[in-house]
Amino acid sequence: LGPVVDLLRLAKATPGFSGADLAAIINESALHATLANKDFIEQDDLEESRDKVRFGRANKSRVMDEKDKTATAYHEAGHAVVQHLLRPDSDPLHKVTVIPRGRALGSTMTLPEKDRYSYSRRWCVAFIKMTFGGRIAEEMFTGDTNSGVSGDIRQATGIAKRMITEWGMNEKLGFVFYGDDDTKPNQIGGFGDAKSYSEDTAKLIDEEIKNLIDRLYEETRQLLSSQRDRIEAIAQALLKYETLDGNDVDRIMRGDVLTKPTVSDLLERERKAATLIAPGPNATDPDIRP
């Protein structure tokens, strides 16, 4: 480990990680540092490895056309704005990026502040609204939608269903369990998915899931309609920098302008530095290296 690595910072950013997950982070960080020809594992190696273990490998070599990249920037900006505005009910925003990671074209990453053993109704509502933010922002600024929201739809539907069928968070259905009971035999001789309620109740469950989704979707649309300038600012920053951390998003939401160097700026700085120390055509000192 490098001399300035803060393991407490890493520990705070890995709630819910198993021992195997933590071991994977250490192994990946060692590989990351080795490939970068470093003498030590540094903080950025650990944090990139944590993101890989949790969210999948960043695919920086994948080429996206400008239209897809712009749509992804607005999509992720919508997620980030909702996540920011719904604090403290939502988890803290960790990072938002338009660099493909895993199967996703972009990612909005959150990290809970502590291990979570239960879910409050407020957290569930905030999470569902966050999943809507991408589709709504993309539609607002591009006038179109695409299939990239399938993961958001699955997550929103899954949480809404469990709120109503398992967690008693619906007034009409009340404090009754309507989920799958793994202890009861089903019709094919196995266990699980044994329904103990009527078709009328099943219809009511479907209606209440749809009503909850529709109501929260409209609330999220109204929320983002009043934040068009912030969505635009974050999307443009994503197109310029590709990745923003939580502090960057906080600054943009306050109305500040980011002035950090881009990847192109850093590469140009390295090129100029290499040119300055490169030997001239008449150099004879063998110790001079470019």
Side-chain angles (χ1 to χ4, degrees), residues 122-143:
R122 288 183 177 181
W123 182 90
C124 292
V125 168
F127 182 87
I128 292 173
K129 287 184 175 181
M130 185 276 293
T131 65
F132 297 153
R135 160 64 70 87
I136 293 172
E138 192 175 338
E139 193 172 26
M140 285 171 57
F141 287 89
T142 70

Side-chain angles (χ1 to χ4, degrees), residues 150-279:
S150 60
D152 296 331
I153 292 173
R154 285 196 299 270
Q155 291 185 89
T157 305
I159 291 292
K161 183 177 180 180
R162 298 191 73 180
M163 288 174 67
I164 290 169
T165 62
E166 298 182 27
W167 298 337
M169 297 179 180
N170 179 270
E171 293 182 1
K172 289 186 178 180
L173 289 158
F175 200 71
V176 180
F177 181 80
Y178 295 105
D180 297 338
D181 191 342
D182 294 334
T183 67
K184 293 184 178 180
N186 57 33
Q187 295 179 350
I188 60 174
F191 287 84
D193 200 30
K195 297 293 187 295
S196 58
Y197 47 85
S198 67
E199 289 299 321
D200 288 341
T201 301
K203 181 179 179 181
L204 179 59
I205 290 172
D206 291 340
E207 290 174 351
E208 288 303 297
I209 292 173
K210 183 66 163 56
N211 290 339
L212 177 62
I213 292 289
D214 289 347
R215 177 171 61 82
L216 296 183
Y217 193 93
E218 183 56 33
E219 290 178 6
T220 308
R221 183 190 297 277
Q222 293 177 11
L223 179 68
L224 289 181
S225 295
S226 65
Q227 301 290 328
R228 290 185 65 97
D229 58 334
R230 295 296 183 261
I231 299 172
E232 178 69 35
I234 291 176
Q236 292 304 317
L238 283 171
L239 291 172
K240 181 177 181 179
Y241 298 110
E242 294 189 326
T243 298
L244 305 173
D245 63 23
N247 291 330
D248 293 332
V249 173
D250 287 344
R251 290 176 57 192
I252 294 173
M253 292 298 292
R254 291 196 304 266
D256 297 341
V257 177
L258 296 184
T259 57
K260 64 181 185 179
T262 65
V263 173
S264 298
D265 294 335
L266 294 174
L267 291 174
E268 180 64 16
R269 185 183 302 170
E270 290 296 320
R271 186 191 67 79
K272 289 181 177 179
T275 301
L276 289 174
I277 64 173

